């Protein structure tokens, strides 16, 4: 028996020596395979890849699987039409100085549900326009001048996850086009805005949380174009909460908690207050806004004091709320269908009867987007779903429409349920 045990231990030691000895073969690391070609590649990253990948030309797709760790840059060449997906549990952690994802060309798509960590470079970068970048996971940078997401003009950026930057002049999102934040963006560094817009005509809608802690760090910083900034989320900023910058800008306050100044910047700018107000308070607030000066003033709504400077037009779009449960059609006392935005994107519809509300159906973000794309392309309205006497339609005008018994119709814009009109 002792002899057999000693032989077994000896065999284990020989195996370990063969694995660990210098010059001898070691177990191969799982690569991102196959290697890039001039064609249309489908690359899968599993296990640990020490170098990253470059797919060269073609319409390529790179998928980082759960548990995979890519220790280099996921990059493609100049042709565009590429897709990168990092699944939940996947990770991209390149060495210091290298970026996480770098796509060139037009019509790219990036979706991160995992983690991207970079040091001394940008986590995600696109060099051209007409691309879609989605973050539902974690993006983190940890040096000066390193951005969470950096893109050129004409792109769509959606964040429902967490973007964290550490360093002076680091920016959570630096982009031109449309930026939708439903998640959290936090920057720690001097002159490090949560969202910085390029010098183009841009649209920003914040329903999440923006936090900046460094000196002169603005929550949303506009460029020199004509920007639309719509906030119903929270902005906790060490500098101004919103600075629209140069250009003829429109700032819409739809709610939320804002700790800093709302600055229109230069140009001819409009500040719009668009919130639901209880019937017994709406007249007093309307009178207060009518008496206020666009160039500077304050107003308190729902216990939140908003302070502004450098606007040329002050617009009252306060509306009377009948219901206070978060429904989209809160001002419609005669509604026969009730609609609620789904936090992860999408819409719930409830049918109403004499006994109260009955849940009818939920439509997710992907289904809504596909229906809108079909309606706009065909010029015909598209029925998405119908049940319990209520229905949801995609309109050729790129809007959504809820319908209920008695001819009730409620039309609303897609961004209210987590979508944006462009691109489809």
């Amino acid at each position: 028996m002792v002899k057999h045990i000693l032989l077994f231990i000896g065999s284990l030691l020989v195996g370990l020596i063969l694995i660990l000895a210098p010059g001898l073969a070691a177990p191969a690391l799982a690569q991102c395979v196959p290697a890039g070609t001039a064609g249309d590649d489908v690359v899968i990253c599993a296990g640990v890849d020490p170098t990253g990948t470059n797919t060269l030309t073609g319409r390529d797709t790179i998928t980082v699987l759960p548990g995979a760790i890519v220790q280099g840059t996921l990059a493609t060449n100049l042709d565009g039409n590429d897709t990168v997906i990092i699944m939940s549990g996947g990770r991209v952690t390149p060495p210091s100085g290298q970026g996480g994802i770098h796509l060139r060309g037009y019509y790219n798509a990036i979706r991160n549900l995992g983690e991207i960590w970079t040091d001394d470079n940008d986590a995600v970068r696109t060099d051209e326009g007409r691309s879609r970048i989605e973050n539902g996971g974690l993006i983190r940078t940890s040096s000066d001048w390193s951005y969470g997401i950096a893109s050129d003009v004409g792109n769509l950026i959606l964040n429902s996850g967490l973007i964290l930057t550490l360093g002076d002049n680091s920016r959570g999102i630096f982009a031109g086009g449309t930026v939708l934040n439903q998640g959290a963006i936090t920057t720690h560094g001097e002159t490090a805005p949560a969202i910085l817009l390029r010098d183009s005509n841009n649209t920003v809608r914040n329903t999440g949380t923006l936090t900046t802690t460094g000196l002169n760090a603005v929550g949303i910083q506009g460029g020199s174009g004509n920007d639309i900034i719509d906030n119903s989320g929270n902005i906790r900023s060490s500098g101004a909460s919103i600075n629209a910058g140069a250009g003829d800008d429109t700032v819409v306050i739809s709610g939320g908690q804002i700790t800093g100044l709302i600055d229109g910047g230069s140009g001819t700018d409009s500040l719009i207050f668009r919130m639901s107000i209880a019937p017994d308070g709406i007249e007093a607030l309307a009178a207060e806004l009518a008496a206020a000066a666009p160039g500077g003033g304050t107003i308190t709504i729902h216990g939140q004091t908003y302070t502004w400077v450098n606007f040329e037009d002050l617009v009252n779009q306060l509306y009377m709320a009948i219901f206070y449960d978060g429904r989209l059609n809160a001002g419609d006392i005669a509604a026969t269908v009730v609609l609620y935005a789904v936090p992860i994107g999408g819409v719930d519809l409830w049918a109403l009867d004499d006994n109260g509300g009955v849940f009818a159906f939920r439509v997710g973000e992907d289904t809504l987007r596909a229906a809108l794309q079909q309606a706009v392309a065909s010029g015909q309205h598209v029925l998405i779903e119908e049940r319990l006497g209520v229905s949801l339609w995609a309109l050729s005008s790129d809007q959504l429409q809820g319908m209920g018994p008695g001819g009730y119709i409620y039309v609303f814009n897609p961004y209210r349920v987590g979508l944006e009109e462009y691109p489809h």
Side-chain angles (χ1 to χ4, degrees):
M1 172 65 75
V2 174
K3 180 178 180 181
H4 289 299
I5 293 174
L6 291 174
L7 287 173
F8 176 71
I9 294 174
S11 298
L12 287 176
L13 291 174
V14 171
L16 288 172
I17 291 171
L18 289 173
I19 292 173
L20 300 177
L24 297 178
L29 295 174
Q31 305 287 314
C32 294
V33 293
T37 70
D40 299 342
D41 301 316
V42 177
V43 179
I44 303 296
C45 300
V48 177
D49 186 292
T51 59
T53 184
N54 190 327
T55 58
L56 304 179
T57 58
R59 296 173 177 262
D60 307 310
T61 299
I62 303 172
T63 302
V64 180
L65 297 178
I69 301 176
V70 180
Q71 298 174 334
T73 300
L74 294 177
T76 59
N77 218 321
L78 297 174
D79 58 322
N81 295 288
D82 299 310
T83 299
V84 175
I85 301 171
I86 303 176
M87 299 179 69
S88 179
R91 184 182 298 176
V92 176
T93 57
S96 179
Q98 291 188 20
I101 298 174
H102 190 178
L103 297 188
R104 300 174 174 88
Y106 293 90
Y107 301 107
N108 295 305
I110 299 172
R111 189 176 191 187
N112 173 50
L113 299 175
E115 298 181 12
I116 306 173
W117 293 56
T118 62
D119 175 45
D120 200 25
N121 211 317
D122 302 335
V124 177
R125 172 174 286 277
T126 61
D127 289 344
E128 307 291 347
R130 301 173 190 172
S131 295
R132 178 186 180 92
I133 303 172
E134 297 182 59
N135 176 54
L138 170 64
I139 290 176
R140 183 181 186 275
T141 70
S142 57
S143 62
D144 296 347
W145 295 99
S146 294
Y147 306 160
I149 296 175
S151 77
D152 211 324
V153 301
N155 294 299
L156 173 61
I157 316 295
L158 303 100
N159 177 54
S160 59
L162 172 61
I163 299 175
L164 173 63
T165 69
L166 306 172
D168 294 342
N169 296 291
S170 62
R171 289 91 189 254
I173 294 176
F174 176 39
T178 298
V179 178
L180 305 179
N181 177 56
Q182 299 172 319
I185 303 174
T186 300
T187 68
H188 297 288
E190 184 176 343
T191 320
I195 298 174
L196 174 63
L197 300 178
R198 289 186 179 273
D199 294 329
S200 55
N201 297 334
N202 309 296
T203 298
V204 177
R205 291 190 175 96
N206 174 50
T207 60
T209 299
L210 307 177
T211 305
T212 67
T213 63
L215 183 65
N216 299 319
V218 178
I220 301 174
Q221 174 65 61
S224 63
N226 303 327
D227 300 320
I228 298 173
I229 300 173
D230 189 335
N231 181 76
S232 59
N234 301 323
I235 305 178
R236 299 188 291 266
S237 180
S238 52
S241 288
I242 297 172
N243 187 326
D248 300 335
D249 307 306
T250 300
V251 177
V252 181
I253 304 301
S254 302
Q257 300 293 313
I258 297 178
T259 61
L261 188 67
I262 304 168
D263 190 342
S266 60
T268 303
D269 307 306
S270 297
L271 176 61
I272 300 173
F273 285 94
R274 182 187 297 158
M275 284 177 269
S276 63
I277 306 298
D280 59 354
I282 192 167
E283 289 188 8
L285 285 173
E288 190 173 347
L289 279 174
T298 64
I299 191 169
T300 300
I301 304 176
H302 299 317
Q304 165 71 44
T305 299
Y306 302 97
T307 304
W308 67 86
V309 294
N310 295 324
F311 286 91
E312 285 65 48
D313 193 17
L314 188 60
V315 182
N316 171 20
Q317 290 187 1
L318 302 176
Y319 57 93
M320 187 181 300
I322 307 300
F323 302 98
Y324 300 93
D325 59 357
R327 65 184 67 183
L328 298 177
N329 50 339
D332 292 353
I333 193 170
T336 56
V337 58
V338 178
L339 302 95
Y340 297 92
V342 178
I344 60 174
V347 59
D348 286 341
L349 278 77
W350 289 68
L352 297 181
D353 56 27
D354 293 338
N355 298 317
V358 179
F359 178 72
F361 55 84
R362 170 176 290 186
V363 180
E365 179 181 347
D366 291 341
T367 301
L368 292 176
R369 184 172 291 109
L372 285 165
Q373 184 177 21
Q374 180 183 349
V376 172
S378 66
Q380 302 291 325
H381 302 331
V382 174
L383 176 62
I384 301 174
E385 191 164 344
E386 183 173 17
R387 190 181 178 199
L388 300 181
V390 304
S391 59
L392 183 67
W393 292 75
L395 305 183
S396 59
S397 59
D398 207 11
Q399 295 174 298
L400 295 167
Q401 175 178 287
M403 297 185 66
Y408 176 76
I409 293 175
Y410 181 72
V411 178
F412 58 100
N413 289 324
Y415 76 84
R416 298 189 65 192
V417 290
L419 286 82
E420 181 53 44
E421 296 85 343
Y422 174 83
H424 292 301

